[in-house]
Structures are given as structure tokens and as C-alpha cells.
């Protein structure tokens, strides 16, 4: 993949060239094509060129003449030189290009121009520009004899994949798809098959996406100039014209990719990557690119629902009745029991403006601080740990820095599945020579590429991180100048770390002591080590200490405060960073400003005209406990399906049942909504405007693309309506006005404005004033926002969730590429055709001992409950360790998870659950298998089975539906 340099302007030390008689500037290292693309009026046609890919020079359509050279050259891969005289138009070039294109056309089907299933077609444009004609050379025979065709479709036409179509007769063998798969995605799923006129690009060995390694990112379809690989979203719209394209930001993970939604008849029909997007540079993953149909699902909530006290059923209601009900019940509860009896959980799916308003509601209308968000259950330990060590609880660097890192250290994260666009970028960095350390219980895709993979036992991060630091300190690998100038606590720290040897940590962590030494030396000596961590660090009893010890490693080695280094949490949800930034936390208001800070409080009180409550409110786990204890009477949940997603589901359900008032604001009738007294229909990200903040602190716009179904409303409007019904006088006309209020409260947003965001590609906070360009790197040169960085000492304290003879396995959890969290969104898309169920990863030795085979169902039992789940026998996990996803409600994994909470932040310990694995009886086995087959059908079952066998080859017969 070519680097993401700014090609809009030449560097200061520019060369001068003549381009068709015009004097132009060029910079060393540029190609002729790059120079021509910068100057209007000199458009050189291309077919095999894509600015995201390395120059290829295969199609020969971009030929130009250079003074002094006898023959034309390909502009796409010929470097420019100082003083070069370039001609892009001449009779000779016209003839050459036309002939080249006509020869390509002779190898294509006669009806190519009628094949309009692909939405755009660069080849048509080049044919028009070069005035090529299909009459000059006779069309060749169709070249796709050997590939399967659907009945009534041309040979090579295949639409079996849920999202991608093949029309391989249209392939001109420009290799853009193959190169995009290799150079952008790093999956290598496409190849050029056959020779000469028969050659064609195909996925896998058989021309079938479903049987290849394809990860369905769609980069091939996006770059294909002829539609030989196309987005099936256009099949329904043969005239290929869309009504409009709207630029917005992905609503899935915290990468925050930018894309254009293509709209026809007020329906989103396709998504294409935004090449300018600063966090994704024209790439998307399967979820962002294809899994948007949930927003247009038939089972969206379209009206408010009120529970009928007589029948007990949720029944449609008007907005007026629903708002009046919510306002009157909240008022009554507040008046009778005080503000502490009411809580709100705000949403990482919602915009910054909506989160701001929700915490403002709890603080200024209710008068308490019982406000939290799902950052509590994922990265609250990161925010706490990084605030303690560095002063700012967010990523230090930017995704672009991956290209500059000499070494990547990925801890407790699986980016190729959880954050796929960043994961692809990491793969490219490693393919280009960066070293890689992975610390994770599983042999993830990146772990399999790593120089060192430390496959530790779940729950043993703290001893491992201390042992890494021990090696760095005792082997003289520290950056002593950085430590002396930029940190405090060094003497205590050095004494503390002295006995934390790899030999001490190895048996606790289940890794080799020498591997710990190797990893520590690599990290300390690479010349630029960049760290990323995920929930495998935070969702532990000692999660915040895990984060602090990672920060120690960066400080000890000076790997902070410059490009290509730092400590970077990979935020799970699209706007979990923003929800916390906005103050959806019980102890901090907007911008992590403490409730006790007199100046901050004075500013907010002036703005809001209300006296604020200085007492810390309840965290999410505390809210459930308080509800069960009868102290919390009302809970307003926005976009959170806590029954499915929070630990110990039985405990959560008990809490929901105890409440006098449960308000659920959602886009679907979720598991949690079943317990609600009132359900308020919100808008999806496609139906509103506002901002999301991604993992690299980049505040980006989302724009309204389509109308909401029925009477569903943007969440900020719902909050405002309830607030006003309770006596507030909020007059926000749009999210822009809310953004301006946030900027007035939080100094790090002071320079943000709707206009600035609309004009660019987002801004990374802090943005302290209107001319500030944003901050890609915080704590530059070791100037930490807390002053000096703090080296933290933390001893290992094992979790109480320990293995025993009864519960001998440690279960850890995570996400798959194809699905997202509880699956509420992705299960309403064709992603269910790719992955149909949750699978338990079990090591072959354990499987053999238990007598369990691939696809068998087992009972997984913890101290709290039991679930039945199918098994994937794989050496991706170590013996004694299990891994399970949580995307399907029929395996309610949170029946198993515990009430253990992180020491400082109360983040649940999702990542360590002691369980037993019990084979089912033959009758139970047959029943579970048949239930799955009946749910998904034999074809889908076969596809999933084939995928499992490809990943871990073995001979296992596919079960057959009865
Ligand atoms: Fe969306 Fe994340 Fe995929 Fe980007 S990587 S398209 S933000 S899910």
C-alpha cells in the first residue's frame, strides 16, 4: 500500500517540469501520473492504477511522451525528474491508447456496456475518453468456460456470496483486485488464474468467494474498473443511478472509518469507502461496508410502547403520552425518593451531543450523578490507568503512526477481527518489515505473524508486564534520560521490579521465561515501539493496573510522545470514547473534569442555570446492586441491552424486575426492552447528525442519510422532550448548538465547531482554539498532561474466579469479524449467512480427553449458570483455555460470567470465567444439532462447516437435518 502522504501540494524543495507546455512543480519520488493528477486539464486515462496501491504498469493506457526519449512511457510508474518535459496528449498517444483499449475490449463480452450491476465503471469512462470502438477487433470467445455460472446468467457470473458478485467475463486482468487484497487488506485471497487470453482474477482456487480466505472487506469490488467483481447492493437497481451519496462515519467499531452511503428511494443501497477519510484512507471492513441493512430492518421500533398495567403487554402509544408518562413518573420518583433513586445509562452507539445531553439531564434535571455508559464495562480501566500514569485517559498517538512504527506490540486485542481496518494496516506494517509482539491467550491471525507470541493464561497480565519491565530495567535497556527528565517514582519502582523476574512470572503466566526476555528486548530496542491494547487488558480484576504497567513499559523505554510509539487503547464501540469524553460517568463531568473542581462547576452552573450535585453517583454494576436492594427506583437505558451484554445475566434481570420504572430507548425490541415499562424508539446513525469520537480522539461528523422509520426520533430530541416536560427549558434546534455548548465547557474542544468539522476530516482533541489543527500525538517529548509521567508499582493479586477440580477450564471471550457484540445489528444483516452461531474454541488435547469432536455441542457450566454451545476444535487456544464469542442470544454467555469487578473502576471481569465442559448425551446432542440446522438450513450449515475445515483441516462429516 502506498503511504498516505499529502499529495495535494508539492514539498518546499520542489522540482520544475513542463507539462504540456505549462510549468508545474513536482517533488522527488513522485511519478509522472501523480504530477498530472495535481494539475487540472491534464487528465491521463488509467485502468490498472489505484492511488492506494503500488504502481503496476500493466494496462499501458497511461502512456505519455517524454522529451528526449524515443518511446512513450507508462506515467503511473515512471518517476518524474527535475526539468522533465512531459506530453500527455499527441496523435501518437491517442492512437496508442485507443488501440490498447480496443484490444482489451476484444477480450470482453459484447454486452459489457449492458452489464450494469456494479454501480460505477471506470472502464466505460476510459473507452469514452480514448474513443475506442469494439468494431475494430472482433470480440474473443468468452474466457470463463470452466467457472460455474448460475442458470440464465453469463459464464463466470456468481452471486453466491452474501455481498460480492463475480462477473469474471468482464475481467481485464489489471490485477487491481488482487493487489488491493494483498496491499490494503493483506488477505491474499485473490489470484490470477490461467494464462494468456484465458487469464482471469479469481477468489481462492475455485473462483468462489465462499471457499476462499476472503474476509469480505469489498476492497476488490471497490477498485475493480470493469465490474468483474461487484457489490451486490446494485443488483436491484439496474440503472445503477443513485439519488445521492452522503458522507458519514461508521457506527460499528472505534476505528471510525469514513464512507459514502449511496441512497435510492430513501433507502441506503450501498456503501463505498471515502478515500480522504483520515482514519481509514479508503478502506472498510465487512461490517462498515456491507452490514448496514439492520437500520432498514422491518422490525425497527416505529412508535413508543407503553406497558398496559392490566394486560402486562407493551402497546403502541403516542409520543405525547409516552413523554408525559416518563416525565410524570420520573418527577414522582425524584420527589419521593430523591435524585439518587434515578439513574441513566447513556450509549456508545449515540452521538457525542446525545451523550452530553443525557448526562446533562441526569445532572441538571434530576439533580444527581447516577450516569454511566458502556465505557464502564470495557475501557474504564484504560481511562483510569492512563490518567494515573500520563494524565490523559485516551490514546497517545494516531493510526497513521502504524506506518512509522518499527515494532508493534498488541496486547489483549485481536484487531483483524475487532478493529479490522486497523488490523489490516498492522498486517501491512509487518509485511513491510515492522517487528511484532502479540500478548494474548489465543493464536490470533496477528499472533501467527508475530516475532514473539506470549500466549499467557487469562488473568495473568500483571505478573507478565512486570516481568517484561524487569528485563528492561535489569538489562540496562531503559531510556535513562527520559526517565530522569519526564517521570517520577523511579527509585521506588526500580526496587519494586528487582524480583519480578521472568522465571518468577513464567509459571504463573504459562509462558516461557526466555520468550519474556526476547519480547522485552525487542520492545526496548526497536527504535520505535507502538503499543495497542484491548479488552484483554482491561476486563480483569486488575485491569487498570494492567494498563498502568503497560504505560510503565512505554515510559521506561521512552516510547511515548513522538510518532510511531505510544500506548493506544483500541476502543470497541464507535463512540465509546466520546460517551466518556462527554461526561457520561458518575464521577466526572464533560472532559473528565472532576465534580469537585470549583471553576469547572462554576462554568457549568452558569451555563445551565442549575446548582450541581458534587457527590459521585453510581456505576453501572452499582446501579444493578442498588436496584436489587430497592434503593434505585428508575433507570433510563439508552441503546444498551444490558440483559445480554452485562455480566451475570440472572443478576441483571433481577435488577430490571425490581425497578419501579425502566425506560428503554432503542432501535429494536431487545432482550432488555422486554422488561421495560416504556420503550422509546430512537434513530439509527443513518438517520441523524452529530459527531462520533474514534479511538485516536478524532471527532468526526455523522450526517443524516435517510429518514427514520415511522415515528422514531433522534435520541437528543427525546431527551430534550422529557427534560422540557419536567420543567427544563432547553431550546436546541440542532446538534450543532449542543456541540457549541460542549466546546464552551471543555477546553480540549474549545477550537471545535460544526463548520470546521464539515470542512475537513475530523479533528483530534485537544483542539484548544479555533486555529489549532488538532493533536495527533499527546504528551509530546514526554511533556505529560499530568506533568511528569508516574511509574506505578502493582503486585499481582489473583482473581477469586480461580479454576478448581469442578471448574478446571478458564473461559475468555471476544468478538468475531463477522459479528458485533450481542449481534443486535449484525444478526439483522446477511452476515448471518457467513457465521451462523457462537462456537467454543477447545484445544485438540482437551477435546480428545473429553471425547468431543468438531461441531459437537457441549454444556459449559460456571458457578452461576450453564449454556450449551458447539465446539470448534483448534490449537488457537492452549490446553485448559477456552474462547467463546457472544453474538447469538441462544448462547447467553453472560449467564456464566461473574460479579468480579475491576479493583478501581468496577469494570466487570469478562475475560476470566472458571468453567466445566461437559459432553451432552447422544439425545441432547442430536437435539441441539437439529435445532441449529433447522434455524440456519443445510446450505448455510455446509458453508460454515467448510470454513471450519479450511481453517483447521480434519475430516469430519457434516451433520444432516432430519
Ligand atoms: Fe466500521 Fe470498524 Fe470496520 Fe472501520 S474497521 S468499517 S469503523 S467496523
Amino acid at each position: 500500500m502506498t503511504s498516505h502522504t499529502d499529495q495535494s501540494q508539492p514539498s518546499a524543495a520542489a522540482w520544475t517540469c513542463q507539462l504540456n507546455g505549462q510549468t508545474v512543480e513536482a517533488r522527488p519520488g513522485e511519478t509522472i501520473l501523480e504530477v498530472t493528477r495535481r494539475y487540472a486539464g491534464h487528465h491521463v486515462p488509467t485502468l490498472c492504477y489505484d492511488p492506494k496501491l503500488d504502481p503496476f504498469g500493466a494496462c499501458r493506457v497511461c502512456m505519455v511522451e517524454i522529451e528526449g526519449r524515443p518511446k512513450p512511457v507508462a506515467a503511473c510508474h515512471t518517476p518524474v525528474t527535475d526539468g522533465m518535459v512531459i506530453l500527455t496528449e499527441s496523435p501518437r498517444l491517442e492512437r496508442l491508447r485507443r488501440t490498447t483499449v480496443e484490444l482489451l475490449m476484444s477480450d470482453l463480452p459484447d454486452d459489457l456496456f449492458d452489464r450494469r450491476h456494479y454501480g460505477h465503471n471506470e472502464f466505460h469512462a476510459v473507452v469514452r475518453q480514448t474513443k475506442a470502438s469494439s468494431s475494430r477487433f472482433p470480440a474473443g470467445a468468452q474466457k470463463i468456460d470452466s467457472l460455474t455460472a448460475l442458470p440464465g446468467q453469463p459464464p463466470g457470473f456468481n452471486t453466491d456470496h452474501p455481498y460480492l458478485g463475480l462477473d469474471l467475463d468482464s475481467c481485464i486482468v489489471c490485477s487491481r483486485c488482487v493487489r488491493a487484497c494483498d496491499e490494503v487488506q493483506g488477505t491474499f485471497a485473490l489470484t490470477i488464474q490461467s494464462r494468456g487470453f484465458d487469464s482471469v482474477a479469481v477468489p481462492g482456487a475455485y473462483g468462489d468467494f465462499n471457499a476462499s480466505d476472503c474476509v469480505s472487506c469489498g476492497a476488490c469490488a471497490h477498485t475493480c474498473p470493469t465490474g468483474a467483481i461487484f457489490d451486490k447492493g446494485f443488483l436491484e437497481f439496474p440503472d445503477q443511478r443513485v439519488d445521492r451519496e452522503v458522507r458519514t462515519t461508521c457506527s460499528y467499531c472505534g476505528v471510525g472509518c469514513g464512507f459514502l452511503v449511496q441512497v435510492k428511494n430513501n433507502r441506503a443501497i450501498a456503501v463505498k469507502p471515502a478515500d480522504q477519510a483520515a482514519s481509514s484512507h479508503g478502506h472498510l471492513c465487512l461490517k462498515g461496508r456491507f452490514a448496514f441493512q439492520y437500520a432498514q430492518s422491518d422490525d425497527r421500533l416505529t412508535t413508543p410502547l407503553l406497558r398496559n398495567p392490566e394486560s402486562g403487554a407493551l402497546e403502541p402509544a403516542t409520543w405525547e403520552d409516552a413523554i408525559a408518562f416518563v416525565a410524570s413518573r420520573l418527577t414522582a420518583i425524584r420527589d419521593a425518593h430523591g435524585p439518587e433513586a434515578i439513574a441513566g445509562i447513556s450509549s456508545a452507539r449515540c452521538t457525542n451531543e446525545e451523550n452530553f445531553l443525557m448526562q446533562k439531564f441526569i445532572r441538571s434535571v434530576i439533580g444527581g450523578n447516577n450516569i454511566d455508559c458502556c465505557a464502564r464495562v470495557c475501557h474504564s480501566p484504560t481511562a483510569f490507568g492512563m490518567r494515573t500514569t500520563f494524565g490523559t485517559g485516551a490514546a497517545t498517538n494516531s493510526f497513521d503512526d502504524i506506518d512509522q512504527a518499527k515494532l508493534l506490540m498488541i496486547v489483549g486485542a485481536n484487531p483483524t477481527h475487532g478493529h479490522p481496518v486497523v488490523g489490516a494496516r498492522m498486517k501491512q506494517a509487518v509485511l513491510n518489515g515492522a517487528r511484532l509482539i502479540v500478548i494474548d491467550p489465543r493464536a490470533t491471525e496477528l499472533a501467527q505473524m508475530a516475532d514473539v507470541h506470549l500466549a499467557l493464561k487469562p488473568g495473568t497480565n500483571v505478573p507478565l508486564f512486570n516481568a517484561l519491565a524487569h528485563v528492561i530495567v535489569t538489562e540496562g535497556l531503559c531510556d535513562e534520560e527520559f526517565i530522569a527528565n519526564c517521570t517520577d517514582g523511579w527509585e521506588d519502582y526500580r526496587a519494586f521490579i528487582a524480583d519480578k523476574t521472568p522465571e518468577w512470572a513464567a509459571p504463573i503466566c504459562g509462558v516461557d521465561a526466555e520468550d519474556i526476555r526476547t519480547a522485552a528486548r525487542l520492545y526496548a530496542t526497536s527504535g520505535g515501539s507502538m503499543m495497542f491494547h484491548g479488552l484483554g487488558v482491561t476486563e480483569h480484576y486488575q485491569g487498570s493496573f494492567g494498563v498502568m504497567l503497560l504505560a510503565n513499559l512505554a515510559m521506561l523505554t521512552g516510547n511515548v510522545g513522538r510518532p510511531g510509539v505510544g500506548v493506544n487503547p483500541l476502543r470497541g464501540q464507535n463512540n465509546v470514547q466520546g460517551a466518556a469524553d462527554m461526561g457520561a460517568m458518575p464521577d466526572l463531568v464533560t472532559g473528565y473534569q472532576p465534580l469537585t473542581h470549583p471553576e469547572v462547576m462554576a462554568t457549568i452552573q452558569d451555563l445551565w442555570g442549575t446548582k450541581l450535585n458534587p457527590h459521585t453517583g453510581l456505576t453501572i454494576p452499582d446501579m444493578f446492586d442498588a436496584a436489587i436492594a430497592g434503593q434505585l427506583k428508575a433507570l433510563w437505558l439508552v441503546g444498551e441491552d444490558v440483559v445480554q451484554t452485562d455480566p451475570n445475566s440472572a443478576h441483571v434481570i433481577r435488577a430490571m424486575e425490581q425497578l419501579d420504572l425502566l425506560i428503554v430507548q432503542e432501535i429494536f425490541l431487545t432482550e432488555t426492552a422486554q422488561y421495560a415499562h416504556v420503550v422509546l424508539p430512537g434513530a439509527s446513525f443513518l438517520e441523524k447528525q452529530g459527531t462520533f469520537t474514534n479511538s485516536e480522539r478524532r471527532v468526526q461528523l455523522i450526517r443524516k442519510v435517510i429518514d427514520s422509520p415511522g415515528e422514531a426520533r433522534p435520541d437528543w430530541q427525546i431527551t430534550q422532550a422529557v427534560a422540557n416536560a419536567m420543567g427544563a427549558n432547553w431550546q436546541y434546534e440542532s446538534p450543532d448548538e449542543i456541540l457549541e455548548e460542549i466546546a464552551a465547557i471543555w477546553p480540549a474542544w474549545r477550537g471545535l465547531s460544526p463548520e470546521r468539522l464539515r470542512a475537513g476530516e475530523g479533528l483530534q482533541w485537544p483542539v484548544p482554539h479555533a486555529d489549532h489543527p488538532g493533536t495527533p500525538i499527546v504528551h509530546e517529548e514526554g511533556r505529560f498532561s499530568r506533568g511528569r509521567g508516574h511509574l506505578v508499582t502493582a503486585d499481582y493479586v489473583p482473581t477469586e474466579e480461580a479454576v478448581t477440580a469442578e471448574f478446571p477450564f478458564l473461559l475468555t471471550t471476544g468478538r468475531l469479524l463477522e459479528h458485533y457484540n450481542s449481534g443486535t445489528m449484525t444478526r439483522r444483516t446477511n452476515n448471518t449467512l457467513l457465521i451462523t452461531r457462537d462456537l467454543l474454541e477447545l484445544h485438540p488435547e482437551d477435546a480428545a480427553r473429553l471425547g468431543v469432536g468438531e461441531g459437537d455441542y457441549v454444556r459449559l457450566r460456571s458457578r452461576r449458570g450453564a449454556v450449551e454451545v458447539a465446539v470448534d476444535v483448534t490449537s488457537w487456544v492452549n490446553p485448559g483455555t477456552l474462547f467463546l464469542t457472544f453474538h447469538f442470544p441462544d448462547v447467553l454467555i453472560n449467564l456464566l460470567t461473574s460479579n468480579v469487578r475491576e479493583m478501581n473502576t468496577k469494570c466487570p471481569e469478562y475475560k476470566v470465567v472458571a468453567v466445566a465442559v461437559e459432553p451432552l448425551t447422544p439425545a441432547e446432542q442430536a437435539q441441539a444439532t437439529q435445532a441449529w440446522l433447522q434455524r440456519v438450513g443445510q446450505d448455510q450449515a455446509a458453508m460454515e462447516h467448510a470454513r471450519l475445515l479450511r481453517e483447521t483441516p480434519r475430516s469430519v462429516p457434516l451433520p444432516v437435518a432430519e
Side-chain angles (χ1 to χ4, degrees):
M1 189 175 180
T2 49
S3 64
H4 305 293
T5 49
D6 174 12
Q7 297 186 352
S8 59
Q9 295 298 323
S11 66
W15 286 338
T16 303
C17 301
Q18 293 296 310
L19 179 59
N20 298 325
Q22 179 186 351
T23 302
V24 298
E25 290 189 337
R27 55 188 161 201
E30 276 189 309
T31 64
I32 294 172
L33 189 68
E34 284 167 344
V35 175
T36 65
R37 292 275 154 117
R38 228 185 14 249
Y39 290 92
H42 305 283
H43 185 76
V44 175
T46 58
L47 282 171
C48 70
Y49 174 75
D50 179 330
K52 292 194 293 296
L53 307 175
D54 290 336
F56 197 54
C59 73
R60 319 308 286 177
V61 175
C62 67
M63 304 302 275
V64 295
E65 297 197 67
I66 309 291
E67 188 177 87
R69 298 213 193 164
K71 293 182 186 165
V73 298
C76 70
H77 70 134
T78 304
V80 74
T81 56
D82 196 15
M84 189 178 254
V85 179
I86 305 159
L87 205 57
T88 66
E89 300 295 336
S90 72
R92 182 192 192 190
L93 290 173
E94 268 178 38
R95 274 197 310 279
L96 194 59
R97 288 180 191 149
R98 190 164 60 240
T99 301
T100 302
V101 175
E102 286 174 346
L103 284 168
L104 284 171
M105 292 169 77
S106 75
D107 196 30
L108 294 175
D110 289 338
D111 65 345
L112 178 70
F113 281 80
D114 299 327
R115 296 187 184 186
R116 291 178 175 275
H117 41 251
Y118 22 77
H120 74 285
N121 193 311
E122 283 178 51
F123 190 68
H124 292 182
V126 171
V127 168
R128 280 195 296 275
Q129 188 182 350
T130 58
K131 300 186 179 67
S133 161
S134 58
S135 60
R136 186 153 157 231
F137 301 108
Q142 285 168 326
K143 57 186 173 179
I144 317 293
D145 300 335
S146 57
L147 294 166
T148 50
L150 298 178
Q153 297 289 357
F157 196 86
N158 185 319
T159 53
D160 281 353
H161 185 275
Y163 299 115
L164 293 166
L166 287 172
D167 182 10
L168 293 181
D169 229 14
S170 304
C171 176
I172 58 169
V173 203
C174 65
S175 291
R176 275 167 65 170
C177 58
V178 178
R179 290 182 288 135
C181 194
D182 298 356
E183 295 173 26
V184 177
Q185 175 51 39
T187 294
F188 303 89
L190 287 144
T191 49
I192 300 292
Q193 194 180 71
S194 301
R195 300 267 170 142
F197 283 115
D198 290 338
S199 54
V200 64
V202 294
Y206 310 106
D208 179 0
F209 277 115
N210 293 319
S212 74
D213 292 333
C214 173
V215 292
S216 311
C217 69
C220 50
H222 181 56
T223 195
C224 176
T226 68
I229 302 176
F230 61 93
D231 180 340
K232 281 172 59 180
F234 283 95
L235 279 174
E236 279 180 54
F237 301 95
D239 71 355
Q240 75 173 304
R241 288 198 187 88
V242 296
D243 297 337
R244 59 185 192 280
E245 283 185 344
V246 184
R247 172 68 197 277
T248 192
T249 304
C250 183
S251 69
Y252 279 105
C253 82
V255 178
C257 298
F259 53 62
L260 296 139
V261 186
Q262 300 180 294
V263 184
K264 183 98 177 168
N265 304 333
N266 195 36
R267 284 188 72 77
I269 60 165
V271 156
K272 69 179 191 189
D275 288 334
Q276 306 305 323
S279 50
S280 49
H281 298 291
H283 191 38
L284 294 175
C285 81
L286 159 66
K287 290 188 280 278
R289 174 143 187 146
F290 296 117
F292 57 88
Q293 290 298 1
Y294 71 88
Q296 303 177 137
S297 162
D298 289 341
D299 63 345
R300 279 285 301 276
L301 289 167
T302 54
T303 64
L305 303 172
L306 276 174
R307 193 167 297 281
N308 182 325
E310 283 164 22
S311 68
L314 283 169
E315 295 176 352
T318 64
W319 270 111
E320 290 69 28
D321 288 350
I323 297 291
F325 173 80
V326 169
S328 66
R329 295 291 296 121
L330 285 175
T331 305
I333 290 170
R334 184 190 58 191
D335 292 349
H337 303 283
E340 287 75 23
I342 298 172
I345 299 181
S346 198
S347 176
R349 331 286 325 143
C350 289
T351 62
N352 287 317
E353 294 72 21
E354 289 167 338
N355 277 285
F356 174 81
L357 229 49
M358 190 64 194
Q359 61 90 38
K360 177 175 176 179
F361 174 82
I362 292 291
R363 294 195 157 110
S364 70
V365 178
I366 300 297
N369 284 301
N370 290 340
I371 177 73
D372 210 351
C373 67
C374 74
R376 176 71 43 210
V377 297
C378 59
H379 270 290
S380 55
T382 293
F384 182 89
M386 292 183 71
R387 274 204 311 276
T388 305
T389 49
F390 292 170
T392 300
T396 59
N397 288 59
S398 307
F399 294 139
D400 279 356
D401 286 21
I402 293 170
D403 298 346
Q404 300 182 55
K406 301 283 189 300
L407 179 142
L408 299 172
M409 185 156 109
I410 298 162
V411 192
N414 183 10
T416 57
H417 280 243
H419 302 81
V421 164
V422 162
R425 205 152 171 192
M426 290 170 171
K427 282 204 286 187
Q428 293 301 328
V430 174
L431 291 168
N432 288 327
R435 311 299 295 270
L436 177 64
I437 299 167
V438 173
I439 301 177
D440 197 281
R442 295 172 74 220
T444 58
E445 184 181 5
L446 282 165
Q448 292 172 42
M449 298 171 76
D451 294 277
V452 185
H453 172 208
L454 299 174
L456 77 175
K457 282 185 206 157
T460 61
N461 287 330
V462 165
L464 180 63
F465 301 165
N466 274 333
L468 289 166
H470 169 94
V471 176
I472 290 167
V473 171
T474 57
E475 295 193 4
L477 304 176
C478 291
D479 184 335
E480 289 175 9
E481 199 180 323
F482 187 94
I483 293 170
N485 293 338
C486 308
T487 68
D488 61 33
W490 169 238
E491 290 306 329
D492 287 347
Y493 182 79
R494 186 163 55 178
F496 166 81
I497 209 74
D499 61 354
K500 306 294 182 292
T501 64
E503 290 68 26
W504 161 77
I508 301 171
C509 305
V511 298
D512 192 278
E514 203 46 42
D515 287 346
I516 298 176
R517 290 189 185 280
T518 306
R521 290 167 190 152
L522 276 173
Y523 178 80
T525 61
S526 73
S529 291
M530 186 171 190
M531 191 191 294
F532 289 88
H533 72 269
L535 305 185
V537 173
T538 58
E539 288 178 344
H540 288 278
Y541 179 49
Q542 285 192 286
S544 60
F545 287 112
V547 174
M548 292 182 228
L549 301 189
L550 291 178
N552 283 353
L553 295 176
M555 288 187 283
L556 290 171
T557 54
N559 276 309
V560 62
R562 58 194 162 87
V565 299
V567 179
N568 299 281
L570 287 165
R571 309 304 302 252
Q573 303 215 44
N574 58 323
N575 197 35
V576 67
Q577 177 73 52
D581 293 349
M582 292 302 102
M585 292 196 285
D587 54 341
L588 300 166
V589 290
T590 310
Y592 307 95
Q593 305 178 98
L595 290 164
T596 47
H597 195 299
E599 272 175 41
V600 172
M601 287 303 111
T603 306
I604 297 175
Q605 286 173 172
D606 280 355
L607 263 172
W608 294 355
T610 343
K611 183 122 182 68
L612 296 181
N613 183 334
H615 302 297
T616 296
L618 298 173
T619 62
I620 292 174
D622 289 340
M623 291 176 194
F624 300 149
D625 293 349
I628 290 170
Q631 291 150 357
L632 188 74
K633 304 288 182 188
L635 179 61
W636 186 346
L637 287 171
V638 182
E640 287 291 317
D641 188 7
V642 293
V643 167
Q644 268 217 81
T645 58
D646 284 48
N648 197 349
S649 300
H651 183 77
V652 177
I653 289 169
R654 214 160 49 249
M656 298 299 109
E657 289 173 340
Q658 288 293 315
L659 292 162
D660 291 350
L661 176 64
L662 176 60
I663 307 160
V664 171
Q665 190 164 312
E666 259 298 351
I667 63 172
F668 297 110
L669 199 65
T670 57
E671 297 294 311
T672 309
Q674 315 286 345
Y675 298 88
H677 299 95
V678 55
V679 178
L680 306 173
S684 80
F685 84 112
L686 290 178
E687 298 148 18
K688 58 189 175 186
Q689 71 172 86
T691 58
F692 291 157
T693 305
N694 78 352
S695 288
E696 50 175 7
R697 298 169 279 102
R698 187 181 301 280
V699 183
Q700 307 189 97
L701 280 182
I702 65 162
R703 293 178 173 88
K704 181 173 173 180
V705 178
I706 53 174
D707 294 332
S708 292
E711 296 170 31
R713 288 183 183 177
D715 299 77
W716 68 270
Q717 291 181 7
I718 301 171
T719 315
Q720 173 159 277
V722 174
N724 287 345
M726 291 181 72
N729 183 25
W730 294 357
Q731 299 293 334
Y732 302 108
E733 295 281 331
S734 77
D736 286 358
E737 293 172 20
I738 308 173
L739 188 153
E740 284 160 5
E741 185 171 322
I742 301 164
I745 289 176
W746 187 16
W749 265 42
R750 196 124 312 149
L752 280 177
S753 66
E755 296 71 33
R756 288 194 75 188
L757 292 174
R758 276 186 205 108
E761 292 298 326
L763 289 162
Q764 288 168 278
W765 64 257
V767 192
H769 56 79
D771 299 323
H772 194 279
T775 310
I777 299 171
V778 289
H779 319 301
E780 263 193 303
E781 294 169 14
R783 291 190 301 274
F784 289 101
S785 46
R786 74 182 292 280
R788 295 170 78 87
H790 180 50
L791 290 163
V792 170
T793 58
D795 268 317
Y796 174 46
V797 183
T799 168
E800 66 187 43
E801 185 66 11
V803 293
T804 59
E806 186 182 359
F807 300 105
F809 289 92
L810 277 184
L811 172 71
T812 190
T813 58
R815 310 209 285 238
L816 280 183
L817 166 71
E818 290 81 0
H819 287 285
Y820 188 73
N821 287 5
S822 59
T824 307
M825 292 148 72
T826 49
R827 280 187 287 104
R828 289 177 168 88
T829 70
N830 281 345
N831 285 26
T832 48
L833 302 178
L834 295 164
I835 294 286
T836 66
R837 57 181 168 170
D838 289 314
L839 290 163
L840 177 75
E841 291 185 0
L842 178 71
H843 191 272
E845 285 174 18
D846 291 328
R849 197 163 38 76
L850 291 162
V852 170
E854 183 75 46
D856 284 355
Y857 277 81
V858 294
R859 182 171 298 109
L860 208 53
R861 194 164 55 79
S862 79
R863 295 177 176 98
R864 282 135 318 258
V867 297
E868 288 176 9
V869 62
V871 159
D872 179 16
V873 181
T874 172
S875 49
W876 275 41
V877 287
N878 282 333
T881 299
L882 307 170
F883 173 80
L884 182 59
T885 53
F886 45 87
H887 303 310
F888 290 85
D890 49 351
V891 181
L892 192 50
I893 189 178
N894 282 318
L895 288 171
L896 308 182
T897 44
S898 77
N899 278 341
V900 175
R901 293 165 191 173
E902 202 277 324
M903 289 170 139
N904 291 306
T905 60
K906 301 187 181 169
C907 175
E909 188 181 50
Y910 288 106
K911 296 291 181 184
V912 186
V913 188
V915 293
V917 180
E918 298 165 350
L920 300 186
T921 64
E924 290 171 330
Q925 186 69 249
Q927 196 180 13
T929 303
Q930 286 307 319
W932 169 60
L933 288 171
Q934 274 159 20
R935 177 167 67 82
V936 305
Q938 194 76 32
D939 287 351
Q940 287 312 313
M943 199 185 296
E944 182 180 287
H945 196 73
R947 181 184 63 81
L948 290 178
L949 294 189
R950 256 198 330 277
E951 286 173 3
T952 45
R954 66 188 77 82
S955 172
V956 183
L958 175 69
V960 178
E962 283 170 357

